[in-house]
Amino acid sequence: MHEWALAEAVIKAASEIAEKEKLAEVTELDIKIGELQQVERPILQFALKQLKPANFKNTKFKITKAKTQLKCRNCGNTWLFQKQKLDPTTREAIHFIPEVAHTYIKCPRCGSPDFEITEGRGIWLETVKGTR
Ligand SMILES: [Zn+2]
């Protein structure tokens, strides 16, 4: 389950920030997930709760989806990825093999499948709140 690996990475990153900011306790983590990063939020939430260290015992984990912006390498067009425009089979395929995204997603202007993710890649920490 990659949710566990992600939860571990989130806790590790948040712990490093807490240490740097000298936070005795972390009260809230705002976690953003890019739309192309397929994550089962309940599993991630559960994994975070299981893995959290002592100074995270009252932490509220806020997990929200973030917009993903794509940029065409062929014509330079940028657009927002919208998953609802894909059919369910395609969504499943992307879920299991993120690399196939390039087969299904094409530039709406020129039709090229050669794009890069310019915003909303993967999973990241938007804010770390805590008490000193
Ligand atoms: Zn294009």
Side-chain angles (χ1 to χ4, degrees):
M1 297 306 281
H2 83 143
E3 279 80 7
W4 285 84
L6 289 173
E8 232 174 286
V10 166
I11 296 283
K12 189 172 176 280
S15 298
E16 281 169 13
I17 293 167
E19 202 177 310
K20 218 172 86 189
E21 303 285 320
K22 297 181 172 39
L23 302 174
E25 213 177 298
V26 175
T27 53
E28 191 181 302
L29 287 188
D30 192 356
I31 302 156
K32 297 272 189 207
I33 302 167
E35 280 170 304
L36 277 177
Q37 176 73 51
Q38 296 294 334
V39 172
E40 296 295 334
R41 271 190 275 183
I43 299 172
L44 181 63
Q45 187 76 251
F46 177 76
L48 286 166
K49 285 194 176 126
Q50 296 297 309
L51 295 169
K52 63 186 182 179
N55 57 336
F56 283 64
K57 73 177 190 304
N58 297 314
T59 307
K60 202 175 128 207
F61 297 106
K62 264 174 59 186
I63 305 170
T64 45
K65 285 263 175 196
K67 289 253 177 295
T68 294
Q69 192 184 60
L70 307 170
K71 186 177 184 216
C72 177
R73 287 205 183 102
N74 185 45
C75 74
N77 181 34
T78 59
W79 74 99
L80 288 174
F81 173 70
Q82 284 175 302
K83 197 166 67 175
Q84 62 271 27
K85 284 193 181 162
L86 301 173
D87 67 65
T89 317
T90 308
R91 265 184 271 178
E92 277 304 298
I94 292 175
H95 189 142
F96 293 111
I97 327 162
E99 292 73 31
V100 303
H102 284 270
T103 318
Y104 294 105
I105 304 169
K106 292 187 168 32
C107 170
R109 193 203 276 168
C110 74
S112 167
D114 190 12
F115 60 85
E116 57 187 311
I117 301 169
T118 49
E119 260 180 60
R121 178 194 286 276
I123 176 166
W124 66 96
L125 279 168
E126 185 85 349
T127 44
V128 177
K129 285 184 199 160
T131 49
R132 288 207 166 88

